[in-house]
Amino acid sequence: DLIDKPGRATLADLKARDAAGWDIAAHANTQVDHALNFTNLMPSEVEDDMVDVRAWLIAHGFSGYDHCAYPSGEFDHDVLELAGTYFTSCRTIYAGQQELFPPSDSRRLRVAYITSSVPLSVAEEYVEEARENHEWLILVFHKLVAGTPAASTEWRTSDFQALVDQVAASGMPVATVGDVYATGGE
């Protein structure tokens, strides 16, 4: 419900990113549900949100409709059960270990969550480890900023570009979650 609002992505922005190969996937249908997190909603409210956001993605032609990211990365048993009904995969912000393919539970994909407290050198180590071990590395960034990050969810644009350059130089394949599932992790 925030698409096309001031300071937010427009539908045209999302269509352009989709055309460039990004997954435009589910997160939450409404800002209210996002702010509360699915774990603070009744199961029927979570289900309504999941059904509505998935339908919106399909109606607008986005291929990432089968994947989601939990608001604030949070889930509980009820959320997991519903997610398994409506999505092939759902991403958390659990960063305790790297994800495997196939994942042990596609309803709770593990990630490398890049926040303002993660220096570029650590993010580069994640990439190098994944390259050396042939691991599936899911990197999560929330907001890229030109200057010094003011919130924990921000990361410097210059560091992001340096990380992208490292990945490009490494020769590692880069794919969206949707592409990984479509190709069986190859």
Side-chain angles (χ1 to χ4, degrees), residues 116 145 147-154:
S116 61
V145 297
T148 302
S152 65
T153 55
E154 297 177 345

Side-chain angles (χ1 to χ4, degrees), residues 33-128:
D33 289 354
H34 180 274
L36 289 172
N37 295 327
F38 288 164
T39 55
N40 294 312
L41 297 172
M42 297 297 300
S44 62
E45 295 170 311
V46 174
E47 185 168 28
D48 287 348
D49 189 286
M50 288 180 174
V51 167
D52 291 347
V53 72
R54 192 172 193 278
W56 186 91
L57 290 164
I58 291 169
H60 288 87
F62 294 116
S63 60
Y65 66 84
D66 211 20
H67 306 280
C68 75
Y70 298 117
S72 297
E74 295 186 18
F75 57 89
D76 58 20
H77 175 76
D78 290 334
V79 172
L80 286 176
E81 291 301 310
L82 289 165
T85 300
Y86 296 104
F87 302 105
T88 297
S89 73
C90 287
R91 179 192 53 74
T92 68
I93 55 172
Y94 176 73
Q97 64 188 93
Q98 299 303 335
E99 189 53 81
L100 307 170
F101 194 87
S104 60
D105 189 338
S106 63
R107 301 168 304 167
R108 49 175 134 185
L109 296 179
R110 299 171 289 208
V111 304
Y113 185 35
I114 309 298
T115 64
S116 61
S117 65
V118 177
L120 173 60
S121 61
V122 170
E124 289 173 331
E125 288 174 23
Y126 293 158
V127 170
E128 185 55 26

Side-chain angles (χ1 to χ4, degrees), residues 3 20 51 106 130 161 166:
I3 295 169
V51 167
S106 63
Q161 186 60 58
Q166 177 201 9

Side-chain angles (χ1 to χ4, degrees), residues 10-22 24 62:
T10 65
L11 184 56
D13 292 334
L14 296 177
K15 291 278 189 180
R17 284 175 175 80
D18 184 66
W22 290 36
I24 306 302
F62 294 116

